[in-house]
Amino acid sequence: MLLLTLALFAVLFSAGDTRDALRWLTSFHVIQISSFFNSTWVQNRGSGWLGDMQIHGWDSDSGSIILLKPWSKGNFSNDEILEMEELFRVYFLGFVREIQERSSDFQMEYPFEIQGIAGCELQSGGAFQSFLMAGLGGLDFLSFKNYSCWPAPEGGTRAQKICALISQYKGICDTVENLLIKTCPRYLMGVLDAGKADLQKQVKPEAWLSQGPNPRPGHLQLVCHVSGFHPKPVWVMWMRGEQEQPETQRGDVLPNADDTWYLQVTLDVAAEEAAGLSCRVKHSSLGGQDIVLHWGHSISIGWIILAVILPSLIILLFFVLWFYRRWSYEDIL
Ligand SMILES: *[C@@H]1O[C@H](CO)[C@@H](O)[C@H](O)[C@H]1NC(C)=O
């Protein structure tokens, strides 16, 4: 197992570009969101994530895993997937029943929401770090570390009581530990390998410029849009010549529907300083050929002025000439 890990690690982390491309993918986690609306009505949502790419859903009606990618199974056999499904079904049923039965003991008032995240991460030394955290109503509630349950300060005495309760269920704790420490790393390595071609695919970004809402009088907001790229790491900066503009504001990298990414990078400038600025995009798919878009606002104003004034001038010139000639003829006659 250790050898396999190190070998895969060496492959994943050898070439510089590949390393950057895959670093954000070296964790797998599942997310649970359980909304308890009233004493009988509860909604469970589950999902599985490779880094920040969702690769599994959970159909809570049929109690089955939804494989969102052709390679979402990783190196698990169909039987292993069925086993996991059974495990999650039993878990959700038991979890909901336990919470509903004990809601008054723990003074839980409907409606409330419980969130959980659990998984493992491959670290740069080749070791795995596993994690499990739960939140209540968006606040930290408890976590698992070093084989035991730790109540979060925000969880108060309620979290302490629940941790004490969980610790009594030795069998469940062992199963969870096994999943986090053994199953998760094995699955992560398998799925990184199975999805390699897809995860490493290089898709070039498109970029365009627009003007945002004016931030304050006399200022412009220049917006550089970069879309459709894969993998996720990207460098986008507003520049004046070769000089990076430190006031550049970078948005979040957002997912497009087709598994590519979108980023918006803005710069507020005094209107007269917009000329000469450009947006530069570096991405692994571009092979060193950065995209550079020049802010054309001042040029386009120039063109508008030219397009309006030049014809007016020509017409004016004709009138002047015409009047001049008439005037000259009248003078002669
Ligand atoms: C829970 O909410 C559902 C949907 O609003 C409703 O049909 C049901 O009667 C409620 N149950 C209780 C016990 O309030």
Side-chain angles (χ1 to χ4, degrees):
M1 180 65 197
L2 184 67
L3 265 180
L4 172 75
T5 308
L6 290 177
L8 241 150
F9 203 77
V11 173
L12 291 175
F13 288 80
S14 48
D17 264 0
T18 318
R19 175 172 60 202
D20 289 341
L22 286 177
R23 180 176 285 152
W24 59 280
L25 284 171
T26 50
S27 71
F28 177 76
H29 63 266
V30 291
I31 290 182
Q32 168 193 356
I33 302 173
S34 296
S35 308
F36 293 81
F37 298 106
N38 61 31
S39 59
T40 56
W41 184 25
V42 52
Q43 183 190 51
N44 284 311
R45 280 169 290 170
S47 50
W49 301 75
L50 185 57
D52 44 19
M53 179 188 278
Q54 191 185 351
I55 59 170
H56 302 115
W58 175 252
D59 181 346
S60 57
D61 294 331
S62 63
S64 52
I65 294 172
I66 303 163
L67 301 169
L68 296 176
K69 304 278 173 204
W71 42 266
S72 290
K73 270 201 282 191
N75 57 357
F76 277 23
S77 64
N78 287 339
D79 282 348
E80 276 175 303
I81 295 286
L82 289 176
E83 255 175 59
M84 294 302 293
E85 274 179 348
E86 179 64 20
L87 201 74
F88 282 118
R89 264 199 301 272
V90 169
Y91 164 74
F92 275 121
L93 280 176
F95 176 81
V96 165
R97 198 177 45 220
E98 201 73 14
I99 297 288
Q100 282 173 337
E101 279 174 5
R102 296 178 187 266
S103 63
S104 54
D105 297 355
F106 294 122
Q107 286 143 26
M108 308 284 266
E109 278 173 28
Y110 292 104
F112 59 88
E113 189 158 82
I114 296 176
Q115 298 147 314
I117 180 168
C120 57
E121 185 176 18
L122 177 58
Q123 298 189 313
S124 53
F128 288 95
Q129 172 88 48
S130 295
F131 49 89
L132 188 155
M133 286 163 275
L136 177 63
L139 294 176
D140 286 347
F141 192 69
L142 58 82
S143 60
F144 267 84
K145 259 184 236 118
N146 300 330
Y147 304 94
S148 45
C149 180
W150 297 85
E154 295 93 323
T157 51
R158 193 193 275 151
Q160 289 166 5
K161 281 192 211 163
I162 292 186
C163 265
L165 177 74
I166 290 173
S167 306
Q168 290 172 13
Y169 291 92
K170 191 78 184 71
I172 294 178
C173 291
D174 287 349
T175 308
V176 170
E177 254 164 50
N178 230 353
L179 283 172
L180 289 177
I181 290 167
K182 295 207 183 114
T183 317
C184 183
R186 181 164 67 87
Y187 174 74
L188 174 57
M189 298 319 277
V191 81
L192 280 176
D193 194 40
K196 206 162 46 188
D198 219 4
L199 297 169
Q200 290 180 343
K201 75 177 175 192
Q202 296 285 330
V203 187
K204 287 184 185 173
E206 272 181 51
W208 67 95
L209 305 179
S210 75
Q211 189 179 325
N214 283 2
R216 52 205 149 117
H219 276 245
L220 297 178
Q221 187 186 53
L222 317 188
V223 188
C224 183
H225 307 258
V226 183
S227 186
F229 55 93
H230 190 279
K232 193 178 182 185
V234 70
W235 183 93
V236 184
M237 189 57 82
W238 278 100
M239 317 277 290
R240 184 176 300 283
E242 290 301 307
Q243 191 117 39
E244 293 177 17
Q245 299 298 294
E247 306 83 41
T248 297
Q249 300 265 342
R250 185 184 161 109
D252 292 326
V253 180
L254 304 173
N256 283 324
D258 61 354
D259 271 340
T260 64
W261 299 96
Y262 170 85
L263 173 65
Q264 191 169 308
V265 165
T266 60
L267 182 69
D268 286 356
V269 284
E272 64 275 12
E273 285 169 12
L277 286 166
S278 58
C279 173
R280 180 177 282 260
V281 182
K282 290 178 193 281
H283 187 258
S284 53
S285 65
L286 297 169
Q289 304 263 297
D290 301 352
I291 297 178
V292 181
L293 297 176
H294 294 275
W295 182 256
H297 199 68
S298 58
I299 297 171
S300 61
I301 282 187
W303 281 111
I304 290 168
I305 290 172
L306 210 64
V308 173
I309 296 202
L310 199 65
S312 320
L313 275 179
I314 292 170
I315 292 167
L316 198 70
L317 197 69
F318 269 103
F319 269 107
V320 169
L321 280 176
W322 185 67
F323 272 113
Y324 178 75
R325 287 182 65 175
R326 263 184 73 141
W327 177 72
S328 328
Y329 282 131
E330 277 166 7
D331 215 28
I332 292 166
L333 290 173

Coordinates of all heavy atoms in Angstrom, one line a residue, residues 37-41, ligand 1:
F37 N -37.2 19.2 9.2 CA -38.2 20.3 9.2 C -39.1 20.3 10.3 O -39.5 21.3 10.9 CB -38.9 20.2 7.8 CG -38.1 20.4 6.7 CD1 -37.7 19.3 5.9 CD2 -37.5 21.7 6.3 CE1 -36.9 19.5 4.8 CE2 -36.7 21.8 5.2 CZ -36.4 20.7 4.5
N38 N -39.6 19.1 10.6 CA -40.5 18.9 11.8 C -40.2 17.4 12.3 O -39.4 16.7 11.8 CB -41.9 19.2 11.5 CG -42.5 18.3 10.5 OD1 -42.1 17.2 10.3 ND2 -43.5 18.9 9.7
S39 N -41.0 17.0 13.3 CA -40.7 15.7 13.9 C -40.8 14.6 13.0 O -40.3 13.5 13.3 CB -41.7 15.5 15.1 OG -43.0 15.6 14.7
T40 N -41.5 14.7 11.8 CA -41.6 13.6 10.9 C -41.0 13.8 9.6 O -40.8 12.8 8.8 CB -43.1 13.2 10.7 OG1 -43.7 14.4 10.2 CG2 -43.8 12.8 12.0
W41 N -40.7 15.0 9.3 CA -40.2 15.3 7.9 C -38.7 15.7 7.9 O -38.3 16.7 8.5 CB -41.0 16.5 7.3 CG -40.7 16.8 5.9 CD1 -40.2 15.9 5.0 CD2 -40.9 18.1 5.3 NE1 -40.1 16.6 3.8 CE2 -40.5 17.9 3.9 CE3 -41.4 19.3 5.7 CZ2 -40.6 18.9 3.0 CZ3 -41.5 20.3 4.8 CH2 -41.0 20.1 3.5
Ligands
LIG1 C1 -44.3 18.1 8.8 O1 -44.4 18.9 7.6 C2 -45.1 18.3 6.6 C3 -44.9 19.2 5.3 O2 -45.1 20.5 5.6 C4 -46.5 18.1 7.0 O3 -47.2 17.5 5.9 C5 -46.6 17.2 8.2 O4 -48.0 17.1 8.7 C6 -45.7 17.8 9.3 N1 -45.7 16.9 10.5 C7 -45.9 17.4 11.7 C8 -45.9 16.3 12.8 O5 -46.0 18.6 12.0

